[in-house]
Amino acid sequence: MTAFEFATAGRIVFGAGRAAELPGVLAGLGSRVLVCTGADPARHAGLLAGLGSPAAVFPVTGEPTVELARAGTGAGREHGADVVAAIGGGSAIDTAKAIAMLLGNGGDPLDYLEVVGSGRAITQPAVPCVAVPTTAGTGAEVTANAVLASPAHRVKASLRSTLMIPRVALVDPELTASCPPGVTAASGLDALTQCLEPFVSVRANPLTDGVAREGLRRAAAGLRAAYADGSDLGARTDMAVCSLLGGIALANAKLGAVHGLAGVIGGTADAPHGVACAALLAPVMEANVQALRSAQPEHPALRRYTEASRLLTGQPAAAIEDGLGWIRETITLLAIPGLAAFGVRPQDADDIAAKAARSSSMQGNPVPLSPSDLRTVLLQAL
Ligand SMILES: [Zn+2]
């Protein structure tokens, strides 16, 4: 029996140069704008100037925390914000989504945060949120959660509700042209992972399948090219599409062991999310394939890994091993460091594996991996 739900942004506006439509989009939604930007708002001075006043700017200087979401919500309340915009990467967008939700529902981030918070249900619509991504990776412009770090608990956890999906995703690939190669590599491999994990997820459905397939095709076409030449607008467009599709796929089909482990690592080490995913991608794929072949050789996820390998390599007869080879070669070409570079040590592996086994991302993994499988994966990613 096929049964599924599918939710995405109310409106997706995509195209080179279309960020210029932001003032008009915002004017249709509210009159007092709070804008979350990255650490350097001057980078988007042109876009910000176009908003006129009264717009308040809230810079997001690092990965969002509970404290930052609280401060941003305070700034929004003080400003009387009735619409929230985000111009930035995943951190700025997740912060904006958290603020928009809290402005609509009242209360504190810890009232609603999964795992470490009180788990109160989000029942009221968020204030309208417009997300304008400046990196191609997280797909946060179309996802239903905002990841917040709680340094006190040494974990990252999500605020989550379909009510948090931005009202408008305004995606302009030209905005990613100034991304430095290291960010292009890490965010691009996150985008690829966010298409691959939903494609083999136990929660995959016919809509996410189509979305994920096209995302993998775009990653194959654009990832290496965008890294080699950041001014290649065709490659930047492929990666902006890949990121958007990955966000749609993961919001509706969940993820897998790469994100299960990366979430835990992100809470304890200073590794950027995209780098953690990139380092884990091939070891997790290999462990999943091995576990599936030994326990359930007819499992449909094996056919999906084969199809993904064909999409990534562009070879219609490629086997899973060819796909793994393509991923490993890409990691090398894009100069992704191992996790040891961020202080993850072999003696941490048991603890990370145990925490990851309980994470919500793990629920989408096509096959249960034992703590010892996860430990092996982690040691390979160091
Ligand atoms: Zn991710």
Side-chain angles (χ1 to χ4, degrees):
M1 278 284 283
T2 301
F4 57 86
E5 286 188 30
F6 192 88
T8 192
R11 188 175 156 214
I12 297 170
V13 179
F14 188 99
R18 297 199 71 176
E21 295 173 34
L22 180 60
V25 168
L26 288 171
L29 295 172
S31 57
R32 295 190 67 82
V33 187
L34 179 77
V35 190
C36 295
T37 65
D40 181 13
R43 231 187 110 195
H44 308 293
L47 265 182
L48 289 169
L51 300 182
S53 58
V57 175
F58 184 75
V60 177
T61 49
E63 295 205 345
T65 59
V66 168
E67 184 51 47
L68 186 83
R70 199 176 278 147
T73 306
R77 287 186 183 131
E78 197 169 303
H79 183 59
D82 57 4
V83 57
V84 180
I87 306 171
S91 294
I93 296 175
D94 273 5
T95 304
K97 284 156 65 180
I99 293 170
M101 183 283 281
L102 289 163
L103 290 176
N105 285 264
D108 185 78
L110 282 178
D111 294 337
Y112 307 95
L113 201 62
E114 291 179 346
V115 188
V116 294
S118 330
R120 207 160 105 191
I122 294 163
T123 55
Q124 300 302 311
V127 162
C129 179
V130 179
V132 186
T134 58
T135 62
T138 66
E141 66 274 15
V142 285
T143 61
N145 64 314
V147 182
L148 300 182
S150 174
H153 301 90
R154 282 175 62 78
V155 292
K156 284 184 173 177
S158 279
L159 300 168
R160 191 187 310 270
S161 163
T162 51
L163 294 167
M164 287 176 62
I165 301 177
R167 183 76 62 87
V168 182
L170 176 49
V171 185
D172 181 345
E174 277 182 1
L175 297 181
T176 66
S178 57
C179 253
V183 176
T184 302
S187 52
L189 280 154
D190 186 23
L192 186 160
T193 307
Q194 292 180 171
C195 292
L196 182 58
E197 292 209 293
F199 191 55
V200 298
S201 164
V202 294
R203 303 275 291 269
N205 71 55
L207 282 175
T208 58
D209 285 349
V211 162
R213 268 190 198 100
E214 179 61 12
L216 289 168
R217 237 177 246 127
R218 297 287 185 148
L223 179 53
R224 294 180 183 192
Y227 178 77
D229 175 8
S231 68
D232 179 341
L233 187 60
R236 292 293 194 182
T237 300
D238 281 333
M239 291 316 296
V241 172
C242 174
S243 172
L244 177 67
L245 298 183
I248 295 171
L250 83 87
N252 293 285
K254 289 210 170 266
L255 291 159
V258 175
H259 276 82
L261 288 163
V264 177
I265 291 165
T268 55
D270 212 12
H273 172 72
V275 172
C277 289
L280 290 159
L281 182 55
V284 165
M285 178 165 160
E286 197 164 34
N288 279 347
V289 168
Q290 227 167 53
L292 287 162
R293 279 180 179 156
S294 66
Q296 309 170 59
E298 297 304 314
H299 196 290
L302 285 169
R303 287 196 296 279
R304 284 164 176 265
Y305 272 124
T306 302
E307 189 183 347
S309 297
R310 292 175 179 170
L311 291 168
L312 290 174
T313 59
Q315 295 164 9
I320 291 175
E321 283 63 29
D322 301 313
L324 272 167
W326 186 91
I327 291 170
R328 291 207 171 97
E329 196 179 86
T330 305
I331 302 286
T332 305
L333 277 172
L334 273 54
I336 297 289
L339 297 177
F342 303 96
V344 183
R345 302 164 307 170
Q347 58 265 43
D348 302 328
D350 283 328
D351 186 40
I352 295 173
K355 283 185 180 146
R358 297 191 295 267
S359 74
S360 89
S361 291
M362 207 59 91
Q363 296 165 11
N365 206 57
V367 60
L369 293 178
S370 68
S372 123
D373 293 333
L374 291 171
R375 193 172 172 279
T376 306
V377 162
L378 205 68
L379 293 176
Q380 287 173 354
L382 295 182

